[in-house]
Amino acid sequence: MSFDPEAAEKVLQYIDRDELAQLGCNLTSIPSPTGQEKAIGEFILNWFDANDIKAVRQDVEFDRPNAVGVVKGDGTGLSLGFNGHTDTSFTGTEEDRRMVAIMEPESELKGKIVNGKVQGLGISNMKGGVAAFMMAGKALKKSGVKLKGDVILAAVVGEISRTPIGPWQTKEYRGEGAGTRHLLTHGMHSDYAVCADGSDMNIVWTQNGVVQVKIQTFGKAEAAWGSNRETHPMMKMNAIVRMTKIIEAVERWGTEFEAKYVYNSPTGPLYPKVNIGGIEGGAPYRPNYFPGVCAIYVDIRMPPQVRPVQIQHELEKTLNATGLDYQLDIYKTLLGYEGKNVELLVKSAEEVYQHLFGQKIKPEAPDRASIWTDTNVYNELGIPAIKIGPRGRRIGPRNEEIEINTMVNAAKLYALIALDICSRARP
């Protein structure tokens, strides 16, 4: 490590457990579904101002700001960015009934401190991580330690997996990298980056990509009553019945795809995944008619060696074999990446982790590593990035909790990684 141990202790003394817990609680109490992150963004910007951290507002869309804080160095050293998203997995509103059968009352989703934990919607994914790097930034600033490079604290909008499709076209459906892509194409580059998304404080720098596909098949919109199945076979007339055959084919292909494209990354395997996540067809108010259109929506998580055109080719070959008419449209593509030139940052994280906790850092487990996070956007744009962050657990259909001590450990880790990287002179 490139910093003075006395400087490290000086920084760590300003990480206050109670203050951090309350900050996490405050962030969690501000509703911030995807597309509606204004209130939490403005809270974070005001917090930066109040703590003498340079605050930068980036309006990704109207009333949808990235909230960025900058702890300035003297301009001679390496810079480090921290990244965390402010939007939450669920909206916390009645809209969630589309996905959740039984919901807890909205009052239970507000931030609260219970038995050494912070509870509430979004505290695990990932307001606990955001609070941790905010506190790390404050500790660096308050300690008075002189840095050579800047520390960038980016609380971004739009990371949750939501995609505009069909009638769902508003900002509430623009997620998976919307805020971070804006962040990095509007000036907030750094030499290295840490994504604070939940990883159980384990490390990874390789992530899957995403392809989302709409597949339609067609029947004949005619009255079903009075028809004879021999003259009007359901597989010909009814798009929903036809779709069952397509679903069977996609499921068979998915099983093969998941076995075929496992990716061996430096921290362990990444697993592909195929999931049929939505279906629509026919008219609920007119079920006496054969449905003329049925569609499914498929999410495919692909490791770095796979490209969207390969998926399209394999799916079309599979569907052609059914003998059914269909229409296939890809409506989202995000590539997977293995971070390059991350060695210095990885070594820093390993040494700081050993210094703080007396043990070696672990790689993130494959099931948790095999996802998409904003880490990919950094690596796509050539900024070496790792993911390491605090993670709690789900305690209800939507509610979450995280150990305060886990948040404290994350804040300490972030503060000292920043101290290490940003104390280094530029080569």
Side-chain angles (χ1 to χ4, degrees), residues 329-349:
D329 296 292
I330 292 178
Y331 63 97
K332 172 170 251 179
T333 52
L334 297 167
L335 299 184
Y337 288 91
E338 179 179 318
K340 303 301 181 185
N341 302 313
V342 298
E343 291 80 8
L344 186 148
L345 180 58
V346 170
K347 184 179 180 182
S348 176

Side-chain angles (χ1 to χ4, degrees), residues 27 30 37-49 53-61 63-70 81-87 130-131 133-134 151-158 179-180 182-183 188 378:
L27 294 176
I30 303 171
E37 303 97 337
K38 178 185 178 183
I40 192 169
E42 292 183 340
F43 174 91
I44 293 170
L45 289 167
N46 289 335
W47 189 92
F48 287 146
D49 272 331
I53 294 170
K54 179 182 177 182
V56 179
R57 178 182 179 128
Q58 289 186 329
D59 283 297
V60 179
E61 299 180 79
D63 277 353
R64 200 181 183 197
N66 284 340
V68 186
V70 183
F82 289 95
N83 180 289
H85 61 88
T86 54
D87 58 335
V130 173
F133 70 64
M134 289 169 66
V151 181
I152 298 172
L153 312 166
V156 301
V157 305
T180 296
H182 185 98
L183 176 86
M188 287 297 165
Y378 284 91

Side-chain angles (χ1 to χ4, degrees), residues 234-379:
M234 297 295 272
M235 192 57 71
K236 178 180 179 181
M237 303 298 296
N238 190 311
I240 293 175
V241 174
R242 290 165 67 91
M243 185 57 77
T244 62
K245 190 173 180 181
I246 286 179
I247 289 173
E248 289 175 357
V250 171
E251 282 291 285
R252 285 194 301 273
W253 170 78
T255 300
E256 296 170 0
F257 179 87
E258 291 174 15
K260 182 178 180 181
Y261 289 116
V262 174
Y263 183 86
N264 292 313
S265 82
T267 55
L270 291 189
Y271 299 140
K273 188 63 185 177
V274 176
N275 182 58
I276 299 172
I279 186 168
E280 59 184 3
Y285 51 85
R286 205 177 189 191
N288 59 311
Y289 260 55
F290 295 118
V293 183
C294 185
I296 58 172
Y297 300 85
V298 188
D299 181 273
I300 300 133
R301 301 285 151 155
M302 57 178 190
Q305 82 275 31
V306 184
R307 290 296 180 266
V309 289
Q310 178 67 21
I311 288 171
Q312 181 177 350
H313 168 75
E314 292 189 14
L315 267 175
E316 288 178 341
K317 183 178 179 181
T318 297
L319 297 178
N320 288 343
T322 68
L324 298 174
D325 292 336
Y326 69 90
Q327 181 173 313
L328 183 151
D329 296 292
I330 292 178
Y331 63 97
K332 172 170 251 179
T333 52
L334 297 167
L335 299 184
Y337 288 91
E338 179 179 318
K340 303 301 181 185
N341 302 313
V342 298
E343 291 80 8
L344 186 148
L345 180 58
V346 170
K347 184 179 180 182
S348 176
E350 289 173 342
E351 291 180 350
V352 169
Y353 196 96
Q354 181 74 39
H355 172 78
L356 285 171
F357 310 123
Q359 54 186 299
K360 289 185 177 181
I361 200 169
K362 296 178 181 177
E364 188 175 27
D367 60 329
R368 291 294 308 166
S370 303
I371 62 174
W372 190 98
T373 70
D374 280 330
T375 315
N376 268 340
V377 183
Y378 284 91
N379 285 320

Side-chain angles (χ1 to χ4, degrees), residues 90 92-106 108-109 394-399:
F90 292 99
T93 69
E94 285 298 304
E95 180 192 318
D96 294 334
R97 289 200 186 278
R98 189 175 182 92
M99 299 184 69
V100 180
I102 301 173
M103 301 196 305
E104 64 276 80
E106 290 182 21
E108 292 185 16
L109 304 179
R394 188 77 59 78
I395 57 172
R398 299 172 293 172
N399 206 7

